[in-house]
């Protein structure tokens, strides 16, 4: 239905952790095992059978804390399995998306862009400043989000002025 209205569709395949209620093994253990990582063959099949335009993948990225006490805590610094990302990109053949981008080192994010990632979500870095101030003033909270976005683009990723609009299917 979205495609009929000219709206691109994003799908997610794999388990980008961060929503779980119970305890998980350590991040290092999860990363080493590849548990929840997007399977390249499944990605190819998913894209073929669903017709999605963008595919969000799991390659070591983690959603920010979104529930309970951890919601306000600093997010763990994740890393990305870039070789695995390359295999997914080759198999999927469409632009890839990285959820859980907050806190991933700049070098890894930029390397991921070089391997097919066309969009990086950094919601934790924007949500936390908003939530901190929203009870006092929505206007101040919105300004904090703007300032956080500028900080990420200019100083963390150093990509200010390099953004481009990407049409997934010309």
């Amino acid at each position: 239905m979205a495609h009929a209205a000219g709206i691109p569709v994003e799908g997610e395949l794999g388990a980008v952790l961060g929503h779980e209620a119970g305890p998980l093994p350590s991040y290092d253990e999860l990363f080493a095992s590849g548990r929840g990582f997007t399977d390249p063959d499944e990605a190819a099949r998913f894209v073929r059978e669903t017709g999605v335009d963008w595919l969000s993948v799991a390659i070591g990225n983690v959603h920010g804390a979104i529930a309970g006490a951890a919601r306000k805590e600093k997010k763990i610094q994740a890393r990305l399995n870039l070789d695995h990302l390359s295999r997914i990109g080759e198999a999927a053949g469409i632009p890839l998306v990285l959820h859980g981008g907050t806190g991933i080192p700049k070098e890894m994010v930029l390397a991921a862009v070089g391997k097919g990632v066309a969009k990086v979500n950094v919601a934790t870095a924007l949500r936390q400043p908003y939530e901190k101030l929203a009870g006092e003033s929505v206007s101040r909270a919105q300004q904090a989000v703007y300032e956080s976005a500028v900080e990420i683009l200019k100083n963390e990723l150093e990509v200010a002025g390099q953004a481009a609009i990407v049409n997934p299917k010309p």
Side-chain angles (χ1 to χ4, degrees):
M1 289 181 1
H3 282 147
I7 300 169
V9 177
E10 179 179 318
E12 181 174 342
L13 190 62
V16 179
L17 302 174
H19 295 281
E20 296 72 19
L24 288 172
S26 74
Y27 176 79
D28 289 334
E29 184 181 327
L30 288 170
F31 187 86
S33 72
R35 179 176 147 198
F37 281 20
T38 303
D39 178 271
D41 294 332
E42 288 180 11
R45 180 178 175 207
F46 182 80
V47 168
R48 186 174 58 253
E49 291 183 7
T50 65
V52 296
D53 303 289
W54 306 73
L55 180 63
S56 173
V57 297
I59 55 169
N61 44 317
V62 178
H63 283 124
I66 56 175
R71 187 173 182 91
K72 296 179 182 176
E73 293 177 16
K74 184 176 179 179
K75 187 179 160 204
I76 64 164
Q77 186 174 35
R79 57 190 182 277
L80 306 175
N81 185 324
L82 297 170
D83 292 334
H84 194 75
L85 175 63
S86 292
R87 291 189 293 277
I88 296 167
E90 290 171 15
I94 61 173
L96 303 177
V97 178
L98 188 65
H99 289 187
T102 299
I104 296 174
K106 171 179 72 174
E107 296 75 22
M108 288 200 153
V109 171
L110 296 179
V113 169
K115 294 180 181 292
V117 169
K119 182 177 95 162
V120 179
N121 293 10
V122 291
T124 300
L126 304 178
R127 179 184 45 79
Q128 287 179 335
Y130 182 87
E131 289 178 346
K132 183 177 179 182
L133 296 170
E136 299 171 28
S137 163
V138 170
S139 173
R140 284 186 59 218
Q142 290 171 330
Q143 183 63 32
V145 169
Y146 172 79
E147 291 169 4
S148 294
V150 169
E151 171 68 22
I152 291 165
L153 293 171
K154 286 178 92 173
N155 301 324
E156 286 184 34
L157 295 177
E158 299 175 9
V159 294
Q162 298 180 42
I165 297 173
V166 177
N167 184 355
K169 286 189 178 175

